[in-house]
Amino acid sequence: MATPQLTPEEEQEKLLEVAKNVIDTQAFHMKRCLDQGKLMDALKHAFNMVSELRTSLLSPKTYYALYILAVGQLRRLESYLYEEKHGKRMAELYELVQYAGDILPRLYLLVTVGSVYIKSKEASPRDVLKDLVEMCRGVQHPTRGLFLRDYLSDAIKDKLPDTGSEYDGPGGNVKDSVEFILQNFTEMNKLWVRMQHQGPVRDRDRRETERLDLRILVGKNLARLSQLEGVDTATYRESVLPRILEQVINCKDKIAQQYLMEVLIQAFPDETHLLTLDSILDTCGQLQTGVDVKTIIVSLIDRLANYAARSPELIPADIDIFAVFFGNVKQVVEQRPNMDTQDVLALQVSLLNLSLKCYPRRLDYVDQVLGFCGTFLSGLKEGSKGADINKPSCVKQIVNLLTIPLDHYKSILTVLRLENYKPLHSFLQYETRKQVSLTLVRNAVENETKISEVEQVDKLLELIDTLVKDVADQPGPDEVDKEDFDEEQTRVASLVHLFHNDNISTLFQLYLAARKHFVAGGNMRMKHTLPALVFRFLRLIRMIKTIRETFPADSTEEPPIPLDDETWSRTGKRGFQFAHELVTVLAQNRALTHVTLRLYLQCAEAASTCAFETIAYEFFSRAFAIYEEEISDSKEQLSAILLIIATLQQVDCFVSEDHYDTLVSKTALHSARLLKKPDQSLAVSVCSHLFWVEPRDEKPSKKDGQRVLEVLQKALKLGGDVMDASANVALFVGILNQFLYYLQAGTPEVKPSQISTLVALINTNLSTISDPSGGDTPATTTFYRNTLDYIRRMKQENPAFQDIVVN
């Protein structure tokens, strides 16, 4: 029966198990010999033990497991050589182990003895270090040589001459330690790179994975360098960094260059990077094409940005971190024309964060970043890589570039000062551009940013043009979600309430600037934006009126506006003229009939408050024109006429009886001409209030009791013509309450007897529909019962109610 073939993993496990058994056996004999004081025999067993590391059959990962086991046993030998009295001088042992046969176990033993040799202080550390690092050149197999030098580095790490250490002196100093580590690092990196070129091409991916598993062995050298107390900034800049960068460039291997640059940035302190930025960034431009330069530079930028934000006082005044980074990053991008667009933009995002953390007041630095991105994207758009701009990864970076300054400054006014903001914003497609615009609007509203200059209004509304007007790349009307669109336009309209300036004339100009943009927005947008602007014009006019009325006549201060009657008349009329123009624009859209009607009435009421009689009359006439020409639905007509009545009842500016009588007659006529009898009765009864207006603000009252009675009687007649008994009763109860109001108001023409007759009529009509199946509504019954309760209570309190008969 054939033996089943082992998988590569099982084969490795089997080979490792065999080698481990040998190591365990030889380690056992070595320990027994050491316990018996047989040093030479122990060295032979140690030699046999580490000879297992000569194998070429194990993968780097499996070899590492074997290496850890063997090195652990060598530590025991090292401890014995230093602590026990074995009768041998270290110089003698150091020379003796060099006679061992095979080079790899010989060098492992030599490093072990050399470590003790330095620790015993019988020899100069400088000489031993130099000797060991040179001797290790004898092993050039990548895997075996790499692990040998790792053992050398670990064995010597606590015996390196350094400032303040016990090994510092005539026999060696920190410079010798630096030289030793750099030589070892250089040789280890060469061996590590060479691993890539051993074996067939088909195994390249596997070898790359194995190399990545071993990268920490090389990187430990740089970490060890950074831990030397004697390596100050000057030593690092003059001796250490040039050697490291030279090796990085010369190795010409993208994996090695990527890893070593990352370790270099992470291992050494921030203050050293500050003084060597140019050298590091210049090296980034010389790295191989496949190296992710973006990650390296971003890591360095982010680290220094955090350092500057944490300890700004430690940043030398003569070093402009941003300028150094910006110039070098620009050069790197130019040197690498095939660099991914998203990587270029990610670099600029990091530069932007650096600028905001280190130089928050240098708005020109932010603008430089945005300007570079705009120029870069313009070049892409004209070339073959134009499609890259719309990739999600690139779009995300562009959005970051646009939103980070906004989030940092929390002021849209600061963003508007950036000349290159809008050009970069224009590279986004419609939907993303709209979302960024909404972010700008939300920021302004949430932070209550006051916009006080005409230029700011123009810049803002031009920047968010996707929300303000139709643009070429917007989707068709059928593709727009109406609810989302309405919400967006509501937000845009809220911007109007942020326009503010203590100078009335300037504030007026702000509204005019907004009007210019809003009227170009189309009907769908104007129904949201123009009403807000109309109300701001009305508020402005009322504010001017208040200033005229409250500004002290004997004040020595200059008033914010001229207070003479001529200026007030001219300014007020101008404001109402602009409001009229805006509402007229809306009136051209028949779908906005109700909005337009309400706005005309609002303007009429405001004009009345400001005592502009002719203007108020004009607004009322426009409201009636809308009613007559545009509103045909009976329900909408009733709603509109009630709204007109309510507004007309509130105005008190009509000195001319002709104006007021004309409007009242028009209102009464339209009330009586409504299509449905119940609507006619209701509207006519409400019209009665136009003939009985109490005095307000020292304005004379308008009280015509006879007309009130005539209108109420007409309402009763119209209500009596209603065929539906329930509707008839509901109308009569409503008219009854109107009679009670005027009786309590002291209208002499309204008599208790009239009310008693109406109560009796309602009772009679109610008796015909007392059966629930007759359609009587609980609301009407409850309303009537409460009305009767009120009459009974008032009979006890008000003499005018005494003669009312309530059964």
Side-chain angles (χ1 to χ4, degrees):
M1 186 175 179
T3 303
Q5 188 175 1
L6 299 177
T7 64
E9 292 77 11
E10 292 172 339
E11 184 69 30
Q12 288 289 308
E13 192 66 31
K14 182 178 179 181
L15 292 171
L16 176 62
E17 192 62 31
V18 172
K20 285 173 67 175
N21 290 335
V22 174
I23 288 178
D24 289 340
T25 301
Q26 294 300 323
F28 171 77
H29 291 299
M30 180 191 74
K31 183 177 182 301
R32 189 169 64 176
C33 291
L34 291 176
D35 292 341
Q36 296 174 358
K38 300 177 181 180
L39 178 59
M40 299 308 295
D41 291 339
L43 289 175
K44 290 178 182 179
H45 290 298
F47 179 87
N48 294 333
M49 178 181 66
V50 294
S51 292
E52 291 300 310
L53 296 176
R54 295 168 56 204
T55 180
S56 300
L57 301 176
L58 298 179
S59 66
K61 182 177 181 181
T62 310
Y63 189 92
Y64 177 72
L66 189 65
Y67 163 79
I68 291 297
L69 184 61
V71 165
Q73 299 301 331
L74 287 177
R75 300 292 186 204
R76 181 174 294 174
L77 175 61
E78 179 184 349
S79 177
Y80 175 85
L81 292 176
Y82 180 73
E83 296 175 1
E84 300 294 333
K85 299 186 180 300
H86 46 72
K88 299 283 186 180
R89 294 177 59 249
M90 291 310 303
E92 180 182 350
L93 279 177
Y94 187 72
E95 182 177 353
L96 180 63
V97 295
Q98 296 185 42
Y99 290 103
D102 294 318
I103 186 169
L104 185 66
R106 179 170 75 235
L107 289 175
Y108 271 101
L109 291 178
L110 184 64
V111 170
T112 305
V113 175
S115 172
V116 180
Y117 197 12
I118 296 174
K119 193 171 184 179
S120 67
K121 300 181 181 178
E122 294 181 18
S124 162
R126 179 189 300 112
D127 295 337
V128 178
L129 291 175
K130 186 176 181 180
D131 190 39
L132 290 176
V133 78
E134 289 294 337
M135 284 285 193
C136 287
R137 289 178 183 268
V139 179
Q140 290 298 313
H141 184 276
T143 305
R144 294 197 290 267
L146 197 59
F147 280 99
L148 172 63
R149 287 189 173 274
D150 179 66
Y151 178 61
L152 169 64
S153 178
D154 281 346
I156 300 299
K157 65 182 180 182
D158 57 343
K159 305 169 188 68
L160 293 171
D162 191 12
T163 301
S165 75
E166 58 179 305
Y167 303 104
D168 187 26
N173 54 35
V174 71
K175 291 183 178 180
D176 300 309
S177 298
V178 169
E179 183 62 28
F180 166 77
I181 295 175
L182 286 175
Q183 282 192 35
N184 198 48
F185 160 71
T186 301
E187 293 301 323
M188 289 183 74
N189 189 51
K190 289 177 181 178
L191 293 168
W192 186 46
V193 171
R194 198 182 303 157
M195 288 180 64
Q196 181 65 30
H197 306 291
Q198 287 197 335
V201 176
R202 65 176 179 272
D203 294 336
R204 176 179 290 273
D205 292 341
R206 178 180 58 80
R207 290 198 302 274
E208 285 188 358
T209 303
E210 292 174 347
R211 284 188 61 205
L212 290 173
D213 291 339
L214 299 178
R215 63 186 183 276
I216 192 172
L217 302 181
V218 183
K220 281 197 298 185
N221 290 280
L222 300 185
R224 199 148 288 147
L225 263 176
S226 68
Q227 294 166 2
L228 292 176
E229 295 290 338
V231 177
D232 54 17
T233 304
T235 303
Y236 172 79
R237 181 170 53 187
E238 297 168 7
S239 304
V240 176
L241 183 62
R243 294 273 295 277
I244 296 174
L245 296 180
E246 178 185 10
Q247 179 58 31
V248 170
I249 295 171
N250 290 341
C251 72
K252 294 183 174 19
D253 179 79
K254 64 179 182 180
I255 294 178
Q257 289 180 339
Q258 179 82 42
Y259 174 67
L260 294 178
M261 289 300 293
E262 290 175 357
V263 173
L264 174 68
I265 292 170
Q266 298 302 324
F268 290 94
D270 299 323
E271 51 269 23
T272 60
H273 294 321
L274 277 176
L275 302 176
T276 56
L277 271 180
D278 284 318
S279 299
I280 297 175
L281 294 173
D282 182 62
T283 300
C284 290
Q286 302 178 55
L287 300 178
Q288 295 297 299
T289 303
V291 177
D292 186 4
V293 176
K294 179 263 297 184
T295 301
I296 297 170
I297 298 179
V298 166
S299 173
L300 182 59
I301 291 175
D302 292 346
R303 178 163 182 179
L304 291 182
N306 292 331
Y307 174 69
R310 190 171 59 250
S311 308
E313 69 282 356
L314 299 180
I315 306 298
D318 59 335
I319 297 181
D320 189 331
I321 304 176
F322 175 83
V324 174
F325 268 116
F326 186 77
N328 281 279
V329 167
K330 185 177 180 181
Q331 184 177 355
V332 168
V333 173
E334 292 172 351
Q335 291 172 345
R336 307 171 82 88
N338 294 324
M339 192 173 185
D340 287 344
T341 303
Q342 67 186 57
D343 290 347
V344 175
L345 295 175
L347 283 172
Q348 299 305 314
V349 170
S350 288
L351 278 175
L352 182 61
N353 285 321
L354 173 71
S355 169
L356 294 174
K357 286 184 178 179
C358 300
Y359 307 99
R361 297 182 181 179
R362 293 296 301 269
L363 201 60
D364 56 316
Y365 284 170
V366 177
D367 216 23
Q368 281 185 46
V369 173
L370 301 183
F372 175 84
C373 292
T375 303
F376 174 74
L377 293 176
S378 295
L380 286 184
K381 201 169 185 179
E382 297 170 1
S384 59
K385 297 176 68 176
D388 287 356
I389 299 176
N390 297 323
K391 289 182 177 178
S393 56
C394 295
V395 170
K396 180 181 178 181
Q397 298 298 347
I398 297 174
V399 171
N400 286 338
L401 287 164
L402 294 171
T403 54
I404 287 174
L406 191 64
D407 294 338
H408 178 82
Y409 291 114
K410 300 187 184 307
S411 171
I412 197 172
L413 299 181
T414 305
V415 170
L416 294 178
R417 290 164 54 194
L418 298 170
E419 296 295 333
N420 295 307
Y421 193 92
K422 188 177 189 316
L424 182 60
H425 182 255
S426 65
F427 284 101
L428 295 171
Q429 291 184 316
Y430 174 81
E431 194 60 37
T432 311
R433 204 162 67 245
K434 185 182 72 174
Q435 293 304 318
V436 174
S437 297
L438 281 171
T439 301
L440 293 168
V441 173
R442 278 195 295 268
N443 181 277
V445 173
E446 290 172 2
N447 293 294
E448 299 181 357
T449 306
K450 300 301 180 184
I451 302 170
S452 57
E453 298 178 10
V454 174
E455 183 183 6
Q456 293 172 348
V457 173
D458 285 331
K459 281 187 173 182
L460 173 58
L461 297 181
E462 288 171 3
L463 181 59
I464 62 170
D465 58 350
T466 51
L467 299 173
V468 175
K469 63 181 181 180
D470 292 339
V471 292
D473 58 342
Q474 72 182 29
D478 296 337
E479 302 175 44
V480 177
D481 185 283
K482 186 178 183 303
E483 290 185 3
D484 290 344
F485 181 83
D486 289 346
E487 182 180 353
E488 293 162 6
Q489 292 308 305
T490 301
R491 290 186 180 277
V492 174
S494 65
L495 287 176
V496 176
H497 303 286
L498 299 177
F499 299 164
H500 175 78
N501 195 298
D502 293 333
N503 185 294
I504 301 298
S505 299
T506 304
L507 184 57
F508 210 93
Q509 295 301 317
L510 296 182
Y511 295 150
L512 293 181
R515 182 190 69 163
K516 177 183 67 176
H517 292 276
F518 288 159
V519 295
N523 291 332
M524 294 296 292
R525 292 185 179 85
M526 286 193 296
K527 73 176 183 179
H528 296 281
T529 55
L530 292 192
L533 200 53
V534 169
F535 280 103
R536 295 307 286 183
F537 271 117
L538 299 182
R539 179 181 180 275
L540 176 60
I541 298 169
R542 287 192 179 104
M543 184 170 64
I544 297 173
K545 176 179 180 292
T546 302
I547 293 174
R548 290 186 76 243
E549 294 173 348
T550 59
F551 192 82
D554 57 348
S555 175
T556 57
E557 298 181 3
E558 185 72 19
I561 55 170
L563 302 179
D564 59 282
D565 292 342
E566 182 180 351
T567 303
W568 158 241
S569 176
R570 185 173 62 253
T571 304
K573 288 180 179 179
R574 187 184 178 199
F576 282 115
Q577 179 185 353
F578 284 124
H580 185 278
E581 291 175 0
L582 291 174
V583 182
T584 303
V585 170
L586 287 173
Q588 296 172 5
N589 183 0
R590 293 193 171 186
L592 303 180
T593 298
H594 297 287
V595 174
T596 305
L597 177 69
R598 287 176 178 274
L599 287 175
Y600 274 132
L601 294 176
Q602 285 285 348
C603 291
E605 185 179 0
S608 173
T609 303
C610 298
F612 289 114
E613 179 180 356
T614 305
I615 295 175
Y617 182 82
E618 173 63 21
F619 280 119
F620 270 114
S621 66
R622 293 301 304 161
F624 276 113
I626 293 289
Y627 175 85
E628 294 168 356
E629 299 171 8
E630 305 295 342
I631 302 178
S632 57
D633 182 81
S634 59
K635 288 184 178 179
E636 294 177 356
Q637 285 183 333
L638 175 62
S639 175
I641 201 66
L642 292 177
L643 189 61
I644 291 174
I645 295 170
T647 306
L648 192 56
Q649 199 270 342
Q650 289 296 316
V651 300
D652 53 13
C653 67
F654 292 112
V655 178
S656 169
E657 291 295 331
D658 291 342
H659 282 160
Y660 186 74
D661 289 346
T662 300
L663 294 175
V664 170
S665 300
K666 195 81 168 175
T667 305
L669 181 62
H670 284 301
S671 298
R673 288 183 175 178
L674 290 171
L675 177 63
K676 298 178 181 179
K677 290 294 183 179
D679 294 346
Q680 292 177 7
S681 176
L682 174 61
V684 169
S685 69
V686 176
C687 276
S688 63
H689 291 278
L690 299 179
F691 302 103
W692 192 271
V693 181
E694 299 290 345
R696 292 192 300 268
D697 299 330
E698 300 180 358
K699 297 292 179 68
S701 62
K702 296 182 178 65
K703 295 183 178 181
D704 188 341
Q706 186 60 39
R707 292 292 301 275
V708 168
L709 181 60
E710 291 174 358
V711 169
L712 290 178
Q713 288 174 339
K714 185 175 182 179
L716 281 172
K717 182 178 182 302
L718 291 169
D721 293 338
V722 175
M723 302 300 294
D724 185 277
S726 297
N728 173 278
V729 170
L731 287 169
F732 282 177
V733 172
I735 296 172
L736 171 62
N737 278 270
Q738 299 284 8
F739 270 100
L740 294 174
Y741 168 79
Y742 291 114
L743 179 64
Q744 188 170 3
T747 307
E749 287 77 8
V750 175
K751 307 294 184 183
S753 59
Q754 298 165 343
I755 298 175
S756 299
T757 302
L758 181 55
V759 169
L761 178 61
I762 294 173
N763 289 334
T764 301
N765 290 352
L766 268 177
S767 65
T768 65
I769 58 171
S770 58
D771 183 5
S773 62
D776 183 23
T777 59
T780 301
T781 304
T782 302
F783 184 26
Y784 180 56
R785 185 165 52 248
N786 291 339
T787 302
L788 295 180
D789 290 342
Y790 173 76
I791 294 173
R792 295 185 184 101
R793 187 170 68 252
M794 292 303 296
K795 283 168 66 69
Q796 301 174 3
E797 299 175 3
N798 191 333
F801 285 71
Q802 290 291 333
D803 296 333
I804 300 176
V805 178
V806 179
N807 295 330

